[in-house]
Amino acid sequence: MNETIQNLITRRSVRSYSNKSIPDDVLDQILDAGSYAPSGMNQQSAKAIVVQSKERMQQLVQLAKAAEQVDHNPFYDVPTVILVFADATQLAPLEDGCNVLENMMLAAHAIGLGSCWIYAAKVLFSTEEGAAFQKELGLSETDQIVGSIAVGYPDGAAPQPKPRKE
């Protein structure tokens, strides 16, 4: 089977990660893959924000827990989260951001890392506290959250695929 198609078929959402940090050169490859995602009229409206510092990660986790009203870490204790925003004034911000997220998840898998799309960021940035955090990240009000991914070294085997629908 073609290597690219094999990568598409074998990627799984990983929900258990080791605490090993991703080297900068590996993270750069993932971000670079995201930057080459297709975008509406090549406007490249998506922006990827990497969260890795313990302080910023703790802030992100606490805000997400409060927004979702849960006690568990919605980011699965991963050492790296990538938030993807897109400029809502552009042609296709949601689609642009989704393409970036998918490219980064596939790149992470190709490198041997795990990833998982985390919906909690969507809920978090819909709150007043999330809007304040968005400003702290240096983003404008026209930047809307599209999604986020946990990225890291899997702790254990990848999940088995679920049966595919026809």
Side-chain angles (χ1 to χ4, degrees):
M1 182 179 290
N2 174 287
E3 185 179 347
T4 300
I5 294 172
Q6 183 70 21
N7 193 52
L8 292 166
I9 292 172
T10 59
R11 194 212 69 80
R12 298 282 170 270
S13 292
V14 173
R15 292 179 175 85
S16 182
Y17 298 91
S18 78
N19 60 5
K20 180 180 175 187
S21 296
I22 301 171
D24 288 343
D25 63 321
V26 173
L27 182 59
D28 287 344
Q29 289 178 58
I30 294 167
L31 294 169
D32 198 36
S35 76
Y36 278 90
S39 65
M41 300 294 292
N42 198 30
Q43 290 181 332
Q44 301 176 37
S45 67
K47 301 170 184 172
I49 307 292
V50 177
V51 178
Q52 286 185 310
S53 77
K54 289 188 190 298
E55 299 80 24
R56 187 67 85 188
M57 186 67 76
Q58 184 176 17
Q59 185 180 16
L60 178 67
V61 169
Q62 293 308 315
L63 288 169
K65 282 180 171 182
E68 289 208 308
Q69 299 177 2
V70 297
D71 292 329
H72 68 280
N73 181 338
F75 297 98
Y76 303 107
D77 298 312
V78 71
T80 301
V81 171
I82 303 173
L83 305 167
V84 174
F85 290 81
D87 184 343
T89 66
Q90 298 301 306
L91 176 67
L94 177 63
E95 295 81 354
D96 293 353
C98 288
N99 286 336
V100 167
L101 286 157
E102 180 70 6
N103 267 26
M104 290 190 300
M105 289 187 292
L106 290 169
H109 178 58
I111 294 169
L113 298 174
S115 67
C116 185
W117 186 305
I118 307 294
Y119 186 76
K122 192 83 168 166
V123 177
L124 155 64
F125 287 101
S126 69
T127 66
E128 286 183 31
E129 296 80 7
F133 186 51
Q134 182 171 332
K135 275 187 177 178
E136 282 181 43
L137 295 172
L139 296 161
S140 76
E141 290 181 10
T142 63
D143 291 321
Q144 67 181 20
I145 186 70
V146 175
S148 66
I149 56 172
V151 182
Y153 291 94
D155 186 17
Q160 291 300 307
K162 304 263 194 260
R164 299 290 98 182
K165 295 178 182 179
E166 287 294 325

